Amino acid sequence: MEYMKAFKSLLKNASDPTKVLAEVPYRKAVPILKAVPEGFSAPGEREAWFTMTNAGVDREGDIIVSAGVDVEQFSEYGSVLWGHRADEPRFILGAPAEVVKEETRILIRANFLGEDANPDAARVLNMIKAGAVRAMSVGIMIHEYSEA
C-alpha cells in the first residue's frame, strides 16, 4: 500500500502524469514453480518455470490483473534479470523461452545463460534447482490503475 500511496502522490503532483507512468517501475514477488504446469513442456537443462504474476494480493496490497498486462515485448525482447538490474552484464541471467498468459496468472519458462556466457546465471539456476532461491519478482510499468 505504501508504494501505491507514493505512486499516487507522484502522479497527482506531476506536471505531465504520462511521464510518471512511463518511469515508475512496479515489482511483485511470486513463487518459482516447483512442478511443470499441467499441459506445458518440461524445462530444459538450463530452464525453469516461474509465475510472473497471479491474481493474488501482493505485499503492497495490490493486484495485477493478467488481462491488463501486455507481454508481447517482454516475450520477444525481454531479459531475466537479477535484482531488476541490467546495468552490468553479470545481472542478465537469460531470456524468456515461453510466456503463457492465462486468466489469473502469467507464466514464464526462462532460459538461463550457460556457465561460459555468464557464470552468475548458471549459479542462480543451480540455487533455484537446490531450492535456495524460491521466488522471483516481476517488474512492470504502470500505465493505468484503478482502486477496487
Side-chain angles (χ1 to χ4, degrees):
M1 285 301 210
E2 290 304 313
Y3 178 88
M4 284 309 289
K5 285 179 189 172
F7 172 73
K8 290 172 191 173
S9 175
L10 271 173
L11 196 59
K12 182 178 173 183
N13 298 316
S15 59
D16 184 355
T18 60
K19 289 193 188 268
V20 173
L21 291 171
E23 295 173 9
V24 177
Y26 177 81
R27 297 176 174 122
K28 178 177 182 176
V30 288
I32 293 172
L33 299 175
K34 292 184 171 75
V36 177
E38 189 174 325
F40 295 103
S41 60
E45 184 180 323
R46 292 192 335 259
E47 296 180 333
W49 275 100
F50 299 91
T51 302
M52 281 181 64
T53 190
N54 58 32
V57 178
D58 67 16
R59 64 181 173 232
E60 297 291 334
D62 302 311
I63 298 170
I64 298 174
V65 179
S66 297
V69 178
D70 181 0
V71 298
E72 188 175 326
Q73 283 198 349
F74 175 73
S75 296
E76 194 162 334
Y77 307 111
S79 296
V80 175
L81 306 173
W82 182 258
H84 299 274
R85 295 183 62 183
D87 56 323
E88 293 181 35
R90 66 190 175 108
F91 295 121
I92 301 170
L93 303 179
E98 184 175 358
V99 178
V100 180
K101 189 171 167 180
E102 297 179 340
E103 187 176 335
T104 61
R105 65 185 182 169
I106 300 173
L107 306 172
I108 173 178
R109 181 170 46 91
N111 184 8
F112 285 76
L113 294 167
E115 179 83 28
D116 57 333
N118 182 353
D120 289 327
R123 197 169 307 134
V124 169
L125 181 58
N126 287 337
M127 288 188 285
I128 290 168
K129 289 180 176 183
V133 174
R134 299 183 314 216
M136 72 172 298
S137 176
V138 62
I140 62 172
M141 303 304 281
I142 299 172
H143 296 288
E144 185 179 321
Y145 75 94
S146 64
E147 297 195 33

